[in-house]
Every structure is written in C-alpha cells, then in structure tokens.
Amino acid sequence: MGTPAADVLKPDFAASRRHFIFTEEHDRLRESIHAFVTKELAPHAEEWEETTFPDSVFTRMGELGLLGLSYPEEYGGQGGDYFCNLVLAEEMVHSKSGGLAMGVAVHTDMATPPVHLFGTEEQKQRYLVPAIAGERISCLGITEPDAGSDVAGIRTHAVRDGDEWVINGAKTYITNGHRADFIVLVAKTDREAGHDGISLFLVDMDLPGVIREKRLEKLGMHASDTALLAFQDVRVPADALLGELGKGFYHIMWELQGERLIGAAGCVAAAQRSFDVTLRYAIERQAFGRSIGRFQVTRHKFAEMATHIEAARQLVYTTAWRFANGEYPVREISMAKLNAARVACDVTDECLQIHGGAGYMKEFGIERAWRDMRLNRIGAGTDEIMLDVIGRSYGL
Ligand SMILES: Cc1cc2nc3c(=O)[nH]c(=O)nc-3n(C[C@H](O)[C@H](O)[C@H](O)COP(=O)(O)OP(=O)(O)OC[C@H]3O[C@@H](n4cnc5c(N)ncnc54)[C@H](O)[C@@H]3O)c2cc1C
C-alpha cells in the first residue's frame, strides 16, 4: 500500500529549513551575534547617524571574536568557514545602521583578507593579529578622485628609493579613512605596465605625509566615516609591499569577489529586514476599514518582494558555496552582487511606499534603509560594471 496522498501533498507555506550551507554551529553563531547586535548596537542607531559610530565598536567586537570569524586561531581568529562571515554580514543589518555594518565589513571582509592571503608572516603579526583583536582599524584604498571603476587608471604611485618606497597620490570615498590605523593601498609601481604595473602596500596612517582631508558628506550610510586622503612623499619600508610586486591588480580583483558576495548577503538580509518591519506595519495600519495589507495590490507587493528576496538569497548562497569551496565564479558573483543590490533598493523603496507618510519620517527607520541601500548599486563595482563583467564572460 502506498502513502496516503494527504500525507504527501500537505502544503507547507511556512517551512523554516536551514539552508544547506549552514550548520547548527552557524545557527548558534547567528543567535549570539543577533543578541549582541540588537542589545549593544541597535539602540545607538539614531545617535550614530549624527556622530558616526565609535571606535569602541571594533574593540568590543574584537573581544567577542567577531572580527576574525574565518581567520585561523593562530592569528586570534575563530577558525570558522566563509559562511560565518555571511552570518555576520546578515546579522549586522539588525543594528539598523547601514553605515555601521559597512564600516565593520570593510575591516573584516575587504581590508584584512588580502593581508591574510598575501601577507608575510611578519605582516600578519603586525597588521592582521591586532585587526582581529579590534586593536587596529583598517581601511582599503582603491578609488581616487580621477579613477573609480577604472582601477587600472589610478594615479597614486610608489617609487623605489633604496630600501624604501615613496608614495604620492590621493584616494577618495575611503570608508573608515578617518579612524583607520592602517590602509591597504593600491598604487602604481610601473606606470608603463598597465595591469601588471599595480601593487598593494600596507601603510600606517600616522606616517608623515598621510593627510586625512575632508570628512565627506553623503546621502546615506551616515554612521560610517568616508574620507578623502592625500599621500605626499610618504616613505614606507620595502617590506610594506603586500603580495607580489606588479600583481596588485589581480590581488585586488580577488579581494573584490569576497567583498561583493558579503555585500550581496548584507543586501538580501537588509531587504528581508525591511520586508519584515513593513509586513508588521501593513497588518496593523488601517485604511478604509481594513488593514492595508489586505488590499490585493499590497498583498501582491509583498508577494513580489518575497519572491525577489528569496531568489536573490539562493543565488548568493549557492555562489558563496562555490566560492568557499575553492572556485572563483566571477560571473555568478557579479550576478549575485548586481541582483542583490537591485533587490535591496527596490524592496526598500516599495517598503517606504507601503508605509505612506510614515515611510518618509525618520522615526520609522525605513527612509534610512532606503538611503543606505542606494550605495550598493555603486560601491564595490557599479551595476554597469557588473553587467559588463557578466556580458564579457560570454565572450562579447
Ligand atoms: C559611501 C561610499 C563608500 C565607499 N567606500 C570605498 C572604500 O572604502 N574604498 C574604496 O576604494 N572605494 C570606496 N568607494 C568607492 C566606490 O567603490 C566607487 O564609487 C565605485 O567603484 C564607482 O567609482 P566612481 O565613483 O569613480 O564612478 P565612475 O567610475 O566615475 O563611474 C561613473 C558612472 O560611469 C559608469 N561607468 C564607468 N565605467 C563604465 C563602463 N566601462 N561601462 C559602463 N559604465 C561605466 C559607472 O557605472 C557610473 O554610473 C566608496 C563609495 C561610496 C559612495
């Protein structure tokens, strides 16, 4: 006798199943990060919009082991896998501050990964270990006033002088630039060699000639600090070179893949958070004698958003799984980043609309999510650059 049809076909609209990339350990990590973020960070979201978040957030996260989740224990890390970083990025959205989440992600998933992968043992001891402990804050300097998308077009250059390099140039839009103790700096070491003439340097931010110029004013991400930096005859020792001489372009392209995936995971989680907040609002808010969520048009908006969020999440997770297993799927990472950023912008826009006038008011937090999310279609590679990478991967 077969199984009764009713047992097989019972629909389940609310199944909550852990995605296959995560384990029970990730669940426990998620719970503990969630508790920390909601208790210690979220209550300050409004205040830090005005003041930017304090450096003590790094100290505290270092104490809790959250700045080195996937780094080896010998450097003070937790020895976890790449998915732990995804969990961190996802849970940081509950701080209700895109700027805070970004400042931390720049440190954990943008500036320190090249130190871990390409650094010498001495560089790891000097920069990675205190960064994981939350004692030294890092930033990443790629973008310049005259070159953003076109990384090979940068002008900042390092010239060898005996046992030293002399660095001149400027970097802009640098997250953590005002608070950072060191920068992973992208500079030209051979102006004639194109992509092969770029190298990475580890530069202490208190060296003579490093000038932290303007604190830049922005549309969103107000809790983060964004700097215009100048480098005037900055002398660094020969061993400040990070990775191979002339391979900096390829090193930074590798770094960008991890950065884009983490950013994409954050986008999906932020979209989900706005969705959840708005769902509660739509159930409570009454108009014309019913909750606004019961209008078919609103119901369909939620259905559209949920579908896009879920599709974006699956693409991010599957691509992260490939990346964590040693593949280098640039096309899919670009797709995941492009799609997640668009979904986050579309969803927060729709959520703001569903809130009506309340969505435009600061106290509901949706306008902040809307402003914060907009960066994701620009930072870490614009939509247009992602489309170009994807298009070129087909030989076009
Ligand atoms: C808040 C914030 C924080 C940031 N943090 C950092 C950081 O910490 N470190 C860092 O190095 N950078 C950082 N950035 C810089 C960011 O990565 C760049 O802004 C981004 O890469 C785009 O470069 P750009 O601004 O120079 O734009 P541009 O490259 O000048 O692009 C302008 C427009 O032209 C389009 N375009 C350019 N080239 C092409 C092409 N080939 N095909 C089609 N369209 C094209 C772009 O898509 C865009 O629409 C940050 C930016 C912001 C706004």
Side-chain angles (χ1 to χ4, degrees):
M1 231 169 76
T3 314
D7 287 351
V8 180
L9 299 175
K10 195 167 154 206
D12 186 353
F13 294 115
S16 161
R17 175 184 280 267
R18 187 194 306 129
H19 192 274
F20 72 80
I21 64 170
F22 296 121
T23 62
E24 248 175 65
E25 260 182 66
H26 293 116
D27 284 354
R28 279 199 294 276
L29 176 69
R30 189 182 291 286
E31 277 167 30
S32 79
I33 298 178
H34 189 85
F36 160 68
V37 169
T38 51
K39 268 191 216 125
E40 298 189 36
L41 303 180
H44 303 285
E46 277 303 331
E47 175 198 340
W48 293 345
E49 281 293 284
E50 305 299 325
T51 59
T52 71
F53 71 90
D55 294 353
S56 57
V57 168
F58 284 105
T59 324
R60 179 73 180 129
M61 290 185 73
E63 276 167 18
L64 294 172
L66 298 179
L67 300 179
L69 291 171
S70 62
Y71 290 132
E73 289 172 27
E74 60 184 299
Y75 299 116
Q78 303 298 307
D81 56 18
Y82 183 68
F83 307 129
C84 295
N85 293 35
L86 245 59
V87 170
L88 177 66
E90 291 179 339
E91 291 309 314
M92 283 302 287
V93 307
H94 297 287
S95 68
K96 303 185 190 169
S97 170
L100 168 59
M102 177 170 76
V104 171
V106 162
H107 182 78
T108 55
D109 290 277
M110 301 173 200
T112 52
V115 187
H116 175 238
L117 192 67
F118 309 119
T120 60
E121 188 54 34
E122 205 191 327
Q123 287 172 333
K124 287 182 199 173
Q125 292 299 336
R126 187 155 168 217
Y127 294 98
L128 186 63
V129 170
I132 290 173
E135 290 158 5
R136 295 192 85 186
I137 300 171
S138 59
C139 66
L140 176 66
I142 308 173
T143 309
E144 302 191 352
D146 293 317
S149 305
D150 181 12
V151 176
I154 59 165
R155 293 191 189 162
T156 297
H157 57 276
V159 177
R160 191 69 191 245
D161 181 23
D163 283 347
E164 294 180 323
W165 291 94
V166 184
I167 300 173
N168 279 284
K171 296 286 169 186
T172 195
Y173 310 147
I174 305 306
T175 303
N176 293 345
H178 279 277
R179 64 174 92 231
D181 297 294
F182 68 92
I183 184 168
V184 173
L185 187 75
V186 185
K188 283 233 156 122
T189 38
D190 182 345
R191 285 186 236 200
E192 311 303 317
H195 289 132
D196 293 318
I198 293 174
S199 305
L200 304 186
F201 290 89
L202 279 162
V203 179
D204 291 321
M205 294 290 283
D206 58 1
L207 286 177
V210 178
I211 300 160
R212 304 182 207 234
E213 302 219 24
K214 273 193 296 201
R215 194 178 281 268
L216 302 168
E217 305 261 326
K218 334 185 263 295
L219 171 73
M221 301 290 199
H222 288 164
S224 67
D225 78 68
T226 309
L228 170 62
L229 305 172
F231 298 83
Q232 292 178 359
D233 291 327
V234 178
R235 289 189 166 267
V236 294
D239 64 5
L241 178 74
L242 176 63
E244 255 184 84
L245 181 67
K247 292 284 178 258
F249 181 82
Y250 309 99
H251 292 344
I252 214 64
M253 285 302 136
W254 169 83
E255 180 282 323
L256 280 167
Q257 305 311 314
E259 167 175 346
R260 286 172 184 161
L261 263 180
I262 287 295
C267 281
V268 173
Q272 184 69 56
R273 193 182 160 273
S274 287
F275 178 97
D276 293 342
V277 167
T278 308
L279 184 61
R280 284 198 294 279
Y281 184 82
I283 290 167
E284 280 165 22
R285 177 75 179 171
Q286 301 283 316
F288 298 95
R290 65 171 90 168
S291 71
I292 58 168
R294 300 247 180 248
F295 294 122
Q296 190 183 46
V297 67
T298 315
R299 186 159 59 235
H300 286 192
K301 282 181 181 187
F302 279 105
E304 290 276 7
M305 290 192 289
T307 305
H308 290 304
I309 293 171
E310 189 57 29
R313 181 183 289 123
Q314 298 298 335
L315 181 55
V316 171
Y317 282 176
T318 309
T319 308
W321 179 79
R322 290 181 61 188
F323 190 60
N325 282 289
E327 293 181 45
Y328 196 25
V330 172
R331 180 196 291 167
E332 286 74 16
I333 291 173
S334 309
M335 290 174 171
K337 194 272 182 191
L338 172 75
N339 184 53
R342 285 176 167 177
V343 167
C345 289
D346 292 349
V347 165
T348 43
D349 190 63
E350 200 66 281
C351 288
L352 192 152
Q353 189 68 20
I354 293 170
H355 272 79
Y360 208 73
M361 297 297 128
K362 281 200 165 178
E363 70 176 287
F364 289 83
I366 288 292
E367 59 84 38
R368 182 161 71 232
W370 181 80
R371 286 186 287 108
D372 287 352
M373 282 307 105
R374 189 60 181 82
L375 173 64
N376 292 295
R377 292 186 50 203
I378 297 169
T382 63
D383 281 9
E384 293 74 22
I385 294 300
M386 293 305 96
L387 287 167
D388 216 48
V389 171
I390 298 163
R392 281 170 191 268
S393 75
Y394 292 101
L396 297 171

